[in-house]
Each structure stands twice: as C-alpha cells, then as structure tokens.
Amino acid sequence: MKKLILGGLLALGFALAQAPYVGGHVGLFGTSGLNLLNGGLHAGVGLQGGLEVRGGVDFTSVSGVLTTGISTDVLMNLSMPGSAALPYAGFGGNLWFSSGTTDFGVHATLGLKYPIAGAPLTAFLEVQPGYAFAGAGAFVYYLKVGANYGF
C-alpha cells in the first residue's frame, strides 16, 4: 500500500513536474508531554503556480516499538521579496503503523526553505501541527530540519 501511494504521487508529480526533489529530515514528534526523536525521507515535485506535492515516510521509536508513518502534503510556496529564504505553507495527511494498528491524522505545515549556494541542495525547517484520530484523539506535532536535493 505504501509503495502504491508513493508511486502514484510520484507518477502524477513527474508528469506535471517542474522541479523534482528528494530529501530527508531529523527532528521531534510528540504530543503534550511526549517528545520523541524522528527521522524520515521524502520525495516531491514542484508544480505550476508555486504548488508542490510531497510524499514521505518517517520513523519514530515509542517505548522501543518502531512506528512507521506515511505522509502526503500539498504545499504552497510564498513570496518574501528581497530574501533568499522562501516560506511555505500547506496541509496534508498521515498514516501511522505500529504493533499491528493503523492510525490516521491530518496536519498543517509551516516552513522556511533556504537554497545552499553552489549546490543542488535546499535546507529547510518546518513545523507540522496536527491531529491524530486514534483512540480519543490527540493533538500532535512534528518539528523537522533537513535538506532537499533537486534534480
């Protein structure tokens, strides 16, 4: 299922793409009082009009149990005249797989990208506040720092 979702996103993106990229991040994942180290990989494409679509997979260890997450995002690049930094905002969804259970959630994304001069790399910092519908539900967040490699 994971491969099907990511493959579909990539196929659609590459068909319409202006700027495909792959990247990775490290950061924190958590909820009230719980902050866990998180890492992941993603692939995305720039579309016309400043839009991007991105799909990724991330990993978090919760009490020694590995939780795998799949996320999709639709992002809009915003303008900041006179600055090399590029803010962006968007929304997306999550699926988390852990110990035979599957949970889902939604999130917003707020971020800032900064191209690294002389390299096809773009550093980024983003926060994703969200809501997980598992059990009684919970507000969650991701705080990510990473880089994208553009083709």
Side-chain angles (χ1 to χ4, degrees):
M1 184 65 169
K2 293 185 253 183
K3 291 179 183 177
L4 182 62
I5 292 170
L6 290 175
L9 281 174
L10 286 174
L12 174 64
F14 284 124
L16 303 171
Q18 293 181 350
Y21 60 89
V22 296
H25 74 272
V26 294
L28 295 175
F29 169 76
T31 185
S32 177
L34 178 66
N35 300 299
L36 303 165
L37 188 60
N38 175 270
L41 302 170
H42 57 262
V45 292
L47 305 175
Q48 294 183 8
L51 290 175
E52 291 181 29
V53 292
R54 175 176 73 182
V57 61
D58 62 81
F59 306 96
T60 304
S61 179
V62 180
S63 301
V65 176
L66 184 65
T67 299
T68 302
I70 295 176
S71 64
T72 58
D73 295 287
V74 175
L75 304 170
M76 170 63 94
N77 291 312
L78 306 171
S79 169
M80 202 159 71
S83 173
L86 180 67
Y88 58 96
F91 64 92
N94 300 80
L95 284 175
W96 295 285
F97 305 96
S98 178
S99 301
T101 64
T102 302
D103 299 317
F104 68 97
V106 294
H107 65 265
T109 301
L110 298 170
L112 190 64
K113 296 188 271 192
Y114 190 85
I116 298 172
L121 295 172
T122 302
F124 69 87
L125 173 67
E126 69 182 36
V127 62
Q128 292 181 323
Y131 189 79
F133 292 97
F139 288 99
V140 298
Y141 74 91
Y142 283 96
L143 179 60
K144 301 176 180 179
V145 62
N148 295 327
Y149 177 84
F151 298 103

